[in-house]
Amino acid sequence: MNGVFAIYKPSGKSSTQFISDVQDIFTKSKVFEDDLSKAKNKMRFDLGTNKRMSKERIDKKARNLKVKIGHGGTLDPMASGILVVGVGLGTKKLQYYLSECEKTYETKALLGISTTTGDAEGEIITQNPIDHITKEMVNETAKKFVGDLKQTPPIFSALKVDGKPLYEYAREGIPLPRAIKVRDIKVSDIKVEQDDLLSTDHEFTKLESQLDKNGLPKEHGLANNPTLNDSPLYFSKQYLEKVEKENLSNEEIKPKVFKEGESLPVKLPLLHFTSAVSSGTYIRSLISDFGRALGSSAYMVELIRVQQSEWELGKNVFSLEDFTNKDERIWGPVLKRVLDDGGKESNVAELFKETSEQIQPLIEKEKEILAKVSEDNVSDDKVEDDTETSKKRTISEVE
């Protein structure tokens, strides 16, 4: 049981916790029993050469050993979609998924607000007018990001400068000792969904301002935080070449600001697109830059990874319920086939159907036999009890 497969991670749970849940299921199953037994024996042998470790300690470590597992690209807790998982020797293949393959995301965002994190879990930095934004503007703006471009990672990320996480500089309002290292990314395609473009008929509620200790909206201070607002806006190399070749206008775009008394409506317009991007691309940053390019701002409210390399939702991707609700004598063979072919020819739904048709009748027959055996045991116990009762003497017989 070595290789790579993909599983759907729901929103609301971290990638680390989700992978831990999968690992626990595999470790307790008979599907991985032989592999785990070999791994434990190998651990005992390897640690046995260490004279500092007692046999009891070695045995304890071996008993607690779990199926080796890892994932090829974190999804934020609010994000859902494909999580590529390496099992056993398959963990050595994960570097490709972490840094080399293309990924496709379906993204929804609301226009008019920027946040510290670039998504709905952050605090509001700015609120900007949206009345000037048209569908034509959105479609034309998407073209500016397709191709090779530079991107500044979000300030609220785990990246570090001088050993200190970026988000700590942001929270403290301290200017960075040097600019965040810009990364080269590639956006192969951005498909703007037209059906709900700029629609206000959606389920997402507008973020509300949080108040500071003085009772003032926090964005009054955050808007002037240099760490949150000094990253340049980049367009693709291909777009800039077109601008130069066709002598198009490329004026610097500044987000519009509200006049006194103006404010955002209760329902903000929706931006919904699917983008194919290289590894290392931050969709939150792409959303933020998209909003700025429209002369406003934007923050992400939904993110689904729909494809990663050869893994595609609705085709060769498992769900956690496949491992919790199905008999392991069914999901075990299906998983084995996917691990062996790397997902290239696999359709998980079809494999489950085929395997269930072969194995489920045997499982049902087994249940019938076990039920019959159980009934026979109960009958035997009753006969034995009746026999013992019949042999008991009355009090007069005892006398």
Side-chain angles (χ1 to χ4, degrees), residues 269-336:
L270 186 73
L271 177 62
H272 180 192
F273 63 80
T274 301
S275 54
V277 301
S278 62
S279 290
T281 302
Y282 283 95
I283 302 298
R284 287 179 290 156
S285 291
L286 184 59
I287 288 289
S288 298
D289 290 346
F290 206 116
R292 292 167 62 191
L294 290 169
S296 184
S297 50
Y299 70 99
M300 188 174 72
V301 291
E302 184 177 277
L303 180 67
I304 307 172
R305 186 188 286 162
V306 296
Q307 187 166 359
Q308 184 170 356
S309 190
E310 66 271 19
W311 307 100
E312 184 178 351
L313 278 184
K315 181 184 175 184
N316 52 6
V317 179
F318 290 87
S319 68
L320 190 65
E321 289 70 29
D322 289 329
F323 302 121
T324 57
N325 296 344
K326 292 181 172 65
D327 194 294
E328 64 181 52
R329 288 169 291 184
I330 293 176
W331 67 250
V334 173
L335 178 60
K336 174 63 175 171

Side-chain angles (χ1 to χ4, degrees), residues 46-57:
D46 292 342
L47 294 179
T49 60
N50 187 344
K51 296 180 180 180
R52 296 181 180 180
M53 293 189 69
S54 65
K55 185 179 184 302
E56 290 75 16
R57 187 181 172 193

Side-chain angles (χ1 to χ4, degrees), residues 88-297:
L89 297 176
T91 55
K92 296 181 179 180
K93 300 178 181 179
L94 293 178
Q95 187 57 42
Y96 167 75
Y97 296 99
L98 286 166
S99 60
E100 299 178 45
C101 71
E102 185 174 79
K103 304 170 186 177
T104 302
Y105 295 90
E106 183 181 353
T107 312
K108 291 182 181 178
L110 296 183
L111 296 170
I113 290 177
S114 67
T115 73
T116 51
T117 58
D119 58 31
E121 296 183 340
E123 297 174 359
I124 295 175
I125 302 176
T126 63
Q127 299 192 44
N128 306 96
I130 53 176
D131 293 342
H132 64 285
I133 300 175
T134 65
K135 291 182 178 181
E136 291 73 23
M137 283 181 63
V138 174
N139 289 323
E140 287 302 312
T141 298
K143 299 175 184 177
K144 299 179 180 181
F145 293 97
V146 177
D148 302 297
L149 68 156
K150 297 184 182 297
Q151 185 183 72
T152 304
I155 186 68
F156 271 75
S157 67
L159 298 175
K160 295 182 179 181
V161 174
D162 291 347
K164 185 173 183 174
L166 292 177
Y167 59 80
E168 290 189 11
Y169 289 98
R171 285 173 178 161
E172 297 170 14
I174 303 173
L176 296 174
R178 56 184 173 279
I180 301 174
K181 187 176 180 181
V182 176
R183 55 179 61 188
D184 293 316
I185 65 167
K186 181 172 184 176
V187 178
S188 300
D189 182 52
I190 296 180
K191 178 189 175 186
V192 179
E193 302 297 335
Q194 302 298 316
D195 291 346
D196 55 4
L197 178 55
L198 300 185
S199 170
T200 55
D201 183 19
H202 53 74
E203 71 272 27
F204 304 106
T205 56
K206 180 179 70 174
L207 273 180
E208 297 297 333
S209 299
Q210 297 183 31
L211 303 181
D212 62 20
K213 59 183 179 181
N214 298 318
L216 298 174
K218 284 186 176 182
E219 61 256 36
H220 289 183
L222 293 173
N224 297 316
N225 185 326
T227 313
L228 295 170
N229 295 283
D230 59 0
S231 62
L233 179 62
Y234 297 102
F235 295 138
S236 75
K237 172 186 173 183
Q238 288 79 357
Y239 171 74
L240 295 177
E241 288 175 349
K242 180 180 179 181
V243 167
E244 185 175 350
K245 182 179 180 180
E246 300 180 11
N247 198 26
L248 301 175
S249 173
N250 190 32
E251 295 181 8
E252 184 178 356
I253 301 168
K254 294 284 187 181
K256 298 181 183 297
V257 295
F258 283 115
K259 296 177 183 178
E260 188 173 351
E262 294 180 333
S263 62
L264 289 169
V266 175
K267 294 290 285 187
L268 298 179
L270 186 73
L271 177 62
H272 180 192
F273 63 80
T274 301
S275 54
V277 301
S278 62
S279 290
T281 302
Y282 283 95
I283 302 298
R284 287 179 290 156
S285 291
L286 184 59
I287 288 289
S288 298
D289 290 346
F290 206 116
R292 292 167 62 191
L294 290 169
S296 184
S297 50

